[in-house]
Amino acid sequence: MVAHVAAKDFEDEAGTRPSTPMGPSRERSPSDPCLPARLPSSGFLQREAERVAPKAVEAELERIRKSLEIPPPPTPQEVEEEKSQPSSPPMSPKSKRKSFLDALPAAFQAAKMLRTASQGRGDRPWKAPEPYEILRAIERKDIMFLMEVRDRSFQSLVQKSGDVTPLIHAMRIEHTDMAIVLLGAFSRYINNLQDEDLEKPETKKLLKMLRINLKTAIDFGLQKQQKDLMASFLQTLIMSEGDSWIALQTADIAVALRQGTAGKPVHEAQEAVRSFATKSLGKADFIASLEDYIANATADLVMMAAWSLVLQVVQGDPLPAYYFARDDRVYRAFVERLDRHRDAIQLKVGRRLRWQLRVLRTQLEGRNRTYRSKVESLAKELDEGEGV
């Protein structure tokens, strides 16, 4: 019975199906099967990342160290040879100190990318780290963890635990690369501050802690003969004071310029920079990179003071404070303004100040001499010369 009904249904379906016209048969495309190569497993990719990432970060830190002209630690043989040679050899005229800020480590961005990738496994609640965790990260050279702390809990990088701060701990165990990472974090924090942030009590407290960190690091570095980062410490310390310190010192040096050679403006500017950080720094032995930075800052203070006197009688733009002690930026801006207002200066500026402007332009010109030699020549003219 079932078979009969099924047969009947198939006959009805065949009878109602419309006939399709017969057309030319199409040629079938030849088959060409291919098998895609298998992608590496996530486990393999993770192992490769863990193997390659530390080497990449170390290579980037080495590049930063070279860009900052930080020499590697001397070998015992080099130490003995240095003792047998006369102290304070002259620097090569072509050697130039690069600004720490201009060489702000690209390794931070690489570390941030690596950290983001590692966090992709799942979000976890953030909790401010304990002091021992930060010290342990410095010992293990865990840059990714330190950068995460920088972004989420910056105050943890400047807080004191017992008798040590993270920066001092890095210096004690002679992890110079970690000290560079922390110093870069300090500079980044300062650069990102807005004017309104400086009025906040919590910002003032953080800046005070940051300055204590840097001053302590300077004293510790001088005590332990770790001189590689002295110039960078001082530069970041001056940055943390903002424009107020530069404006105050500029006003003081302007008073000395008004007095002519009797005011010894170059000497006053140099002492202001040298004694700014700590008493130990003011009495420190010769440190080439530090002396070059102090000379750079000294020259910039005198130029800023001289131009501030010009602006009292000539309408013009001040020299930007953020150019301060960053190679020859202040000098280039100074010369550009002298050329732009040449006629007004000739008509309105007094004879003594015009002479001081000429001396500054002449003695600080060129890149074939170090800033130290330029400032020495400047002092002979403005402090010890016959004057006008």
Side-chain angles (χ1 to χ4, degrees):
M1 181 68 178
V2 174
H4 173 75
V5 172
K8 184 66 176 174
D9 289 342
F10 282 119
E11 288 176 5
D12 293 343
E13 183 180 349
T16 58
R17 183 182 302 157
S19 60
T20 56
M22 297 295 292
S25 59
R26 291 181 300 174
E27 182 179 354
R28 296 183 60 184
S29 301
S31 62
D32 188 13
C34 62
L35 182 63
R38 179 176 176 269
L39 293 174
S41 65
S42 59
F44 174 81
L45 294 175
Q46 182 63 34
R47 288 193 300 273
E48 283 296 295
E50 292 174 354
R51 182 180 66 84
V52 175
K55 296 180 181 179
V57 173
E58 289 176 5
E60 184 64 20
L61 284 172
E62 181 64 23
R63 185 193 67 78
I64 296 166
R65 186 183 292 109
K66 290 180 179 178
S67 70
L68 290 172
E69 297 181 359
I70 300 173
T75 62
Q77 182 179 357
E78 290 174 342
V79 172
E80 292 298 325
E81 292 177 356
E82 189 179 46
K83 290 181 180 178
S84 62
Q85 293 177 355
S87 61
S88 305
M91 290 179 63
S92 170
K94 295 184 179 180
S95 63
K96 296 184 293 184
R97 177 188 53 78
K98 295 188 177 181
S99 168
F100 181 82
L101 298 179
D102 293 341
L104 199 60
F108 295 165
Q109 184 62 26
K112 185 176 181 180
M113 293 171 62
L114 291 170
R115 184 174 70 252
T116 302
S118 66
Q119 291 175 344
R121 303 173 195 171
D123 295 333
R124 64 182 188 276
W126 168 259
K127 185 179 74 171
E130 297 293 333
Y132 77 88
E133 293 180 288
I134 296 178
L135 302 184
R136 183 177 62 189
I138 292 171
E139 294 167 1
R140 296 178 178 179
K141 298 189 176 183
D142 190 347
I143 297 177
M144 290 181 283
F145 177 77
L146 293 176
M147 291 303 94
E148 187 172 15
V149 175
R150 179 202 67 182
D151 295 338
R152 301 195 182 200
S153 179
F154 176 78
Q155 65 271 17
S156 298
L157 295 181
V158 295
Q159 284 178 344
K160 194 173 184 180
S161 175
D163 65 338
V164 69
T165 63
L167 181 58
I168 294 299
H169 185 64
M171 297 176 69
R172 279 184 179 176
I173 61 177
E174 299 185 356
H175 280 13
T176 305
D177 47 359
M178 292 298 99
I180 294 173
V181 168
L182 292 170
L183 193 56
F186 294 173
S187 299
R188 179 181 180 274
Y189 173 78
I190 296 169
N191 283 336
N192 288 341
L193 287 176
Q194 304 298 323
D195 291 340
E196 56 270 21
D197 295 332
L198 297 174
E199 302 302 323
K200 297 178 181 178
E202 59 269 23
T203 303
K204 293 180 179 179
K205 181 180 178 181
L206 269 178
L207 285 174
K208 183 178 180 180
M209 295 169 64
L210 190 150
R211 293 179 192 121
I212 293 174
N213 267 259
L214 292 168
K215 291 182 179 182
T216 307
I218 289 173
D219 285 342
F220 183 85
L222 293 173
Q223 180 185 355
K224 298 297 182 180
Q225 299 296 308
Q226 295 181 13
K227 304 175 181 179
D228 296 339
L229 295 176
M230 290 296 104
S232 296
F233 288 155
L234 181 57
Q235 184 177 22
T236 309
L237 183 58
I238 290 177
M239 284 171 50
S240 70
E241 290 289 344
D243 298 349
S244 58
W245 182 85
I246 298 175
L248 181 63
Q249 299 306 319
T250 296
D252 290 344
I253 306 306
V255 172
L257 285 170
R258 285 185 181 277
Q259 299 173 5
T261 54
K264 297 191 178 299
V266 179
H267 173 77
E268 290 298 319
Q270 192 171 47
E271 286 303 306
V273 178
R274 189 178 296 277
S275 61
F276 168 71
T278 65
K279 294 180 180 179
S280 300
L281 186 60
K283 302 174 183 178
D285 295 333
F286 181 87
I287 305 173
S289 60
L290 180 61
E291 292 297 325
D292 201 38
Y293 176 80
I294 291 175
N296 190 174
T298 298
D300 286 0
L301 272 183
V302 179
M303 283 187 286
M304 286 180 159
W307 186 248
S308 70
L309 293 176
V310 172
L311 292 181
Q312 294 179 8
V313 293
V314 174
Q315 189 71 25
D317 299 324
L319 294 171
Y322 56 86
Y323 282 3
F324 181 74
R326 299 184 68 179
D327 298 318
D328 62 347
R329 295 186 184 186
V330 169
Y331 177 77
R332 284 186 279 127
F334 178 71
V335 170
E336 185 271 331
R337 284 160 174 74
L338 289 179
D339 292 339
R340 190 196 313 167
H341 301 284
R342 181 184 293 110
D343 295 338
I345 290 173
Q346 192 65 32
L347 289 173
K348 300 180 180 180
V349 173
R351 183 172 168 226
R352 172 181 288 169
L353 183 54
R354 290 203 310 271
W355 169 72
Q356 290 169 334
L357 294 173
R358 286 196 302 271
V359 171
L360 283 166
R361 180 168 190 163
T362 303
Q363 296 299 332
L364 299 178
E365 187 179 14
R367 295 195 172 193
N368 293 328
R369 293 189 299 158
T370 63
Y371 264 101
R372 282 178 287 133
S373 64
K374 290 178 181 179
V375 169
E376 288 173 0
S377 301
L378 190 65
K380 289 179 181 178
E381 292 279 351
L382 297 184
D383 291 2
E384 305 167 10
E386 296 180 2
V388 173

